[in-house]
Amino acid sequence: MIRFLVTVCLFIFTLVSYGQGDSLVTSCTKYYEQKTVAEVEEFKQLRKYKFLRFLPSFGYSLQRADFIVSLNTNGIISYLENKQIRHNKISSIILQNKLLLEQDLRTLTLLKNKLKEVQKQQLTAQKIIEIDQKIFKIKETQYNQAELEPLLFLQAQKHIIEQEQKLENINYQLFELNQTLLNTAKWNF
């Protein structure tokens, strides 16, 4: 029953907040669902023989040579307190894992948005390089035909190299973001 409630709560929260269809979101949700269920299972107690706590104690007194029956309410009070403590601990586990899930999903969303942004920058840089290469070929042809001054040709060549370096930096940034995303996705199994 607890597994069902945990699953439903976490799954509904995830679908409402982050949408469905994303394998990382699904993986993250499943991880925290299983983690919560495992932690809750630790605090479940076996219910066998719990009725024995409430039975009166029987004994025999050697001094008076008769039987003694005693009923201790400490067992009942202890049972009720332990039941409340277990309930509070289970609620705490569920809430803590829900908060961890929310944090991981927010981090995941931020990283994915940053990744999309850098991918757009990469596409733009690639288009700029393609255009600059066409311009450079025209200038190279003009330079070879002695129609362009060497200084302008060298400036065009320098500009191409700078643009290629900018694209390499963007590619490296994409690589770093992908690695950060994979490292952050500790729950991705």
Side-chain angles (χ1 to χ4, degrees):
M1 181 67 176
I2 291 175
R3 180 181 176 86
F4 175 74
L5 290 175
V6 169
T7 304
V8 169
C9 289
L10 291 177
F11 189 69
I12 288 174
F13 168 76
T14 304
L15 288 181
V16 169
S17 300
Y18 295 94
Q20 64 185 74
D22 188 344
S23 63
L24 287 176
V25 170
T26 304
S27 173
C28 182
T29 305
K30 190 170 189 141
Y31 168 79
Y32 280 107
E33 170 193 319
Q34 290 174 352
K35 181 177 187 275
T36 302
V37 169
E39 289 176 359
V40 166
E41 288 293 324
E42 287 181 27
F43 289 93
K44 279 187 171 181
Q45 256 187 351
L46 294 175
R47 304 278 183 220
K48 287 183 179 181
Y49 311 116
K50 72 177 181 180
F51 67 92
L52 292 176
R53 291 182 181 180
F54 307 110
L55 293 178
S57 299
F58 296 100
Y60 183 75
S61 173
L62 293 175
Q63 293 174 347
R64 291 194 292 164
D66 61 349
F67 286 98
I68 299 173
V69 176
S70 67
L71 181 61
N72 191 351
T73 58
N74 286 339
I76 296 170
I77 293 170
S78 174
Y79 168 77
L80 293 174
E81 287 175 347
N82 287 341
K83 183 177 178 182
Q84 185 62 39
I85 289 170
R86 265 194 327 275
H87 175 72
N88 291 344
K89 183 63 178 174
I90 289 171
S91 297
S92 171
I93 288 170
I94 291 171
L95 290 175
Q96 285 175 352
N97 284 332
K98 182 180 177 188
L99 288 174
L100 290 172
L101 172 66
E102 289 176 28
Q103 289 173 349
D104 279 355
L105 289 176
R106 268 190 243 113
T107 302
L108 176 65
T109 302
L110 289 173
L111 284 172
K112 286 171 51 178
N113 289 341
K114 191 170 184 177
L115 190 65
K116 286 179 185 177
E117 173 86 21
V118 174
Q119 286 173 337
K120 286 179 185 177
Q121 291 175 2
Q122 181 190 36
L123 288 174
T124 303
Q126 286 174 342
K127 289 177 184 176
I128 290 172
I129 285 179
E130 288 174 8
I131 293 169
D132 283 344
Q133 285 175 343
K134 290 176 185 176
I135 293 171
F136 179 73
K137 286 183 183 181
I138 292 170
K139 288 187 177 190
E140 186 178 31
T141 305
Q142 289 175 344
Y143 175 73
N144 290 337
Q145 295 173 356
E147 296 174 2
L148 186 65
E149 295 178 21
L151 179 62
L152 294 175
F153 175 72
L154 291 174
Q155 286 175 345
Q157 195 174 23
K158 178 184 169 193
H159 183 71
I160 286 286
I161 292 170
E162 288 173 346
Q163 291 298 325
E164 288 173 349
Q165 183 61 43
K166 184 178 177 182
L167 181 61
E168 283 181 34
N169 291 341
I170 291 172
N171 286 337
Y172 184 73
Q173 193 176 4
L174 269 175
F175 172 76
E176 283 183 329
L177 278 172
N178 280 324
Q179 291 303 313
T180 304
L181 188 62
L182 290 175
N183 290 337
T184 303
K186 61 184 176 279
W187 27 259
N188 193 13
F189 46 89

